[in-house]
């Protein structure tokens, strides 16, 4: 294990990225444990309040991201250890920010509502991308030793990423930046029914394709989504409060 760490992480200059990765995971788990204890009103765990104002942990995350980012810019001598410390602080801040990503997205406290699952998705995506970077993969890079201009290939790769994301296939699009073969499937297959692509090209134009997309969603994706939600709620707690955003839209 020590030899692997020395040759695969330190020798390749990936120690700062590794520290960011570990800090992100540990802080996310610790934060979710903390908020679940607060929600259950166990022990001395309470929200941070100043007067009547509740201070969300995204505020502390933004501050730590600034501290870690600036420290990484000014670290002297290019020390990998110094960069690793800065990356750790940045990772802690990133976890706190991403854990309340849904609040930033909706500009409303949806932490324990259904929309709050977006925060967990954001953290999982960040962890997956960082993990791929740690393996040595790089996004949108063509480094094969072939006598061709890589610019058109990289542009086509990026175009397929955009199409895949517009089709509502977030995981395929994000991982496909590192593994292009996934995009060859994601970009040509049917879009998800609630995606921008389906809204632009299926609704009112191709009801048969929309019906196929809905059937495929119900048959294949819904079971996978339920399994994903079960795993997420095992880690992060249940997002079971009624949606206040929906109730506000009805009124």
């Amino acid at each position: 294990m020590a030899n692997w760490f020395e040759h695969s992480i330190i020798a390749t200059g990936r120690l700062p990225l590794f520290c960011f990765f570990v800090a992100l995971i540990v802080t996310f788990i610790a934060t979710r444990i903390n908020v679940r204890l607060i929600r259950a009103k166990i022990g001395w765990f309470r929200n941070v309040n100043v007067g009547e104002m509740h201070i969300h942990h995204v505020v502390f995350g933004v501050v730590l991201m600034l501290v870690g980012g600036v420290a990484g810019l000014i670290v002297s001598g290019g020390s990998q250890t110094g960069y690793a410390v800065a990356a750790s602080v940045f990772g802690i801040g990133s976890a706190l920010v991403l854990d309340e990503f849904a609040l930033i997205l909706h500009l409303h406290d949806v932490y324990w509502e259904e929309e709050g699952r977006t925060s967990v998705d954001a953290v999982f995506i960040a962890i997956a991308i960082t993990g791929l970077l740690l393996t040595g993969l790089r996004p949108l890079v063509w480094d094969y030793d072939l006598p061709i201009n890589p610019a058109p290939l990289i542009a086509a790769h990026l175009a397929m990423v955009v199409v895949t994301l517009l089709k509502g296939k977030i995981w395929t699009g994000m991982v496909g930046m590192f593994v292009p073969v996934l995009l060859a499937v994601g970009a040509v297959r049917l879009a998800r029914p609630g995606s921008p692509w389906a809204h632009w090209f299926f609704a009112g134009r191709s009801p048969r394709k929309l019906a196929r997309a809905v059937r495929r969603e119900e048959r294949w994706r819904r079971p996978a989504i339920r399994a994903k939600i079960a795993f997420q709620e095992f880690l992060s707690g249940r997002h079971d409060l009624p949606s206040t955003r929906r109730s506000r839209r009805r009124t």
Side-chain angles (χ1 to χ4, degrees):
M1 185 67 180
N3 289 335
W4 170 85
F5 188 81
E6 175 68 31
H7 291 93
S8 300
I9 302 298
I10 297 179
T12 57
R14 296 176 193 158
L15 181 60
L17 185 62
F18 178 81
C19 291
F20 170 86
F21 182 68
V22 173
L24 180 68
I25 295 175
V26 172
T27 304
F28 171 67
I29 294 174
T31 301
R32 281 288 166 164
I33 292 174
N34 183 63
V35 295
R36 292 177 74 174
L37 291 173
I38 291 173
R39 191 184 191 193
K41 298 181 180 179
I42 294 176
W44 51 270
F45 294 93
R46 294 293 183 270
N47 290 320
V48 177
N49 296 293
V50 177
E52 297 183 356
M53 180 184 297
H54 170 48
I55 308 298
H56 290 276
H57 49 267
V58 65
V59 176
F60 302 102
V62 169
V63 173
L64 288 172
M65 287 180 71
L66 286 171
V67 171
V70 173
L73 293 174
I74 64 175
V75 64
S76 60
S79 167
Q80 190 173 190
T81 302
Y83 285 129
V85 173
S88 299
V89 175
F90 193 84
I92 294 171
S94 298
L96 295 175
V97 170
L98 290 176
D99 187 58
E100 294 197 317
F101 175 77
L103 281 70
I104 302 171
L105 180 64
H106 295 287
L107 292 179
H108 186 63
D109 191 350
V110 295
Y111 194 86
W112 292 117
E113 299 172 16
E114 182 179 350
E115 294 88 345
R117 292 195 185 106
T118 308
S119 297
V120 187
D121 288 333
V123 173
F124 278 27
I125 289 173
I127 291 172
I129 290 176
T130 308
L132 289 170
L133 290 171
L134 273 174
T135 66
L137 294 175
R138 292 295 180 265
L140 303 175
V141 170
W142 185 270
D143 56 1
Y144 302 103
D145 189 17
L146 295 175
I148 55 177
N149 184 1
L153 297 173
I154 294 174
H157 187 178
L158 180 59
M160 287 195 297
V161 170
V162 173
V163 170
T164 303
L165 292 176
L166 289 175
K167 287 189 172 184
K169 302 170 184 180
I170 306 301
W171 277 100
T172 304
M174 300 303 291
V175 178
M177 290 193 298
F178 301 85
V179 187
V181 67
L182 294 177
L183 298 175
V185 178
V188 300
R189 287 181 64 83
L190 207 61
R192 296 187 63 187
S195 66
W197 191 276
H199 176 72
W200 294 336
F201 298 106
F202 294 173
R205 295 187 180 185
S206 183
R208 292 181 61 184
K209 282 189 176 181
L210 182 59
R212 283 175 54 206
V214 171
R215 288 196 301 269
R216 185 171 295 177
E217 186 83 4
E218 292 294 333
R219 183 175 182 180
W220 300 108
R221 293 196 62 86
R222 291 300 178 188
I225 290 173
R226 285 194 291 269
K228 182 198 74 169
I229 290 174
F231 176 68
Q232 287 182 339
E233 291 190 341
F234 171 76
L235 292 177
S236 61
R238 297 187 62 186
H239 297 82
D240 53 3
L241 293 182
S243 175
T244 53
R245 286 178 53 80
R246 293 176 185 174
S247 62
R248 287 195 303 170
R249 285 197 294 265
R250 286 195 294 267
T251 57

